[in-house]
């Protein structure tokens, strides 16, 4: 069975979107018809594949916020997702009250920082691998998830 890289990325992004939506719906935090508001930290390259995959699940997911430090990438993503608010700093994005989950698709050195910040604001988190660079970062993420009771992947 031959699978193209593009096909694999699309399928894995769809799985990520489902993984983000499932806990929200199954934990009774909304009706089965409620849509999950997701914010994206990073919108290009691999993060762009995550964005496209999650956005494809339109019945259950709203792309509510986009964050990237690169104006060009952010403008391209914002042109596709016109209802999403845009940010250059993920800490400002986390101040947006209506977000239910965050997808972290930044370069590796910011994964733990963004994931812990999102967990501490009460959001579920999907983060690309590697989740952390050090054992202490991995422990910080684990502790934040345990303390908040939020789902991480």
């Amino acid at each position: 069975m031959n699978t193209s890289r593009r096909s694999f990325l699309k399928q894995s992004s769809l799985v990520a979107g489902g993984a983000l939506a499932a806990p929200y719906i199954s934990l009774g935090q909304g009706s089965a018809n409620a849509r999950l508001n997701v914010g994206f930290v990073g919108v290009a390259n691999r993060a762009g594949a995550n964005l496209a995959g999650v956005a494809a699940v339109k019945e259950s997911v709203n792309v509510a916020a986009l964050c990237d430090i690169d104006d060009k990438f952010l403008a391209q993503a914002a042109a596709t997702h016109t209802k999403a608010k845009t940010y250059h700093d993920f800490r400002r994005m986390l101040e947006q009250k209506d977000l239910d989950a965050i997808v972290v698709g930044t370069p590796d050195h910011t994964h733990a920082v963004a994931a812990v910040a999102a967990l501490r604001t009460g959001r579920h988190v999907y983060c690309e691998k590697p989740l952390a660079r050090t054992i202490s970062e991995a422990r910080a993420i684990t502790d934040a998830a345990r303390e908040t009771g939020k789902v991480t992947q």
Side-chain angles (χ1 to χ4, degrees), residues 23 39 41 62 104 118 120:
V41 183
N62 287 325
V104 179
R120 289 199 174 137

Side-chain angles (χ1 to χ4, degrees), residues 15 127 136 139:
V15 169
C127 186
S136 62
R139 286 184 181 146

Side-chain angles (χ1 to χ4, degrees), residues 40-82:
F40 291 82
V41 183
V43 297
N45 303 317
R46 179 65 188 127
N50 289 335
L51 176 57
V54 172
V57 190
K58 294 177 183 168
E59 310 80 43
S60 59
V61 178
N62 287 325
V63 175
L66 302 169
C67 178
D68 204 298
I69 60 169
D70 189 302
D71 288 331
K72 178 182 163 193
F73 291 138
L74 188 58
Q76 289 172 344
T80 304
H81 305 284
T82 56

Side-chain angles (χ1 to χ4, degrees), residues 24 39 50 65 94 113 117 132 146:
Y24 179 77
N50 289 335
L94 293 176
V113 175
R146 187 176 295 127

Side-chain angles (χ1 to χ4, degrees), residues 118-140:
L119 288 165
R120 289 199 174 137
T121 61
R123 276 54 178 253
H124 302 286
V125 174
Y126 170 80
C127 186
E128 282 295 313
K129 67 176 190 173
L131 180 61
R133 295 177 308 117
T134 64
I135 292 171
S136 62
E137 285 181 353
R139 286 184 181 146

Side-chain angles (χ1 to χ4, degrees), residues 8-33:
F8 173 77
L9 290 175
K10 185 175 180 181
Q11 290 171 355
S12 62
S13 295
L14 287 171
V15 169
L20 285 170
Y24 179 77
I25 294 168
S26 67
L27 294 174
Q29 295 178 351
S31 74
N33 296 326

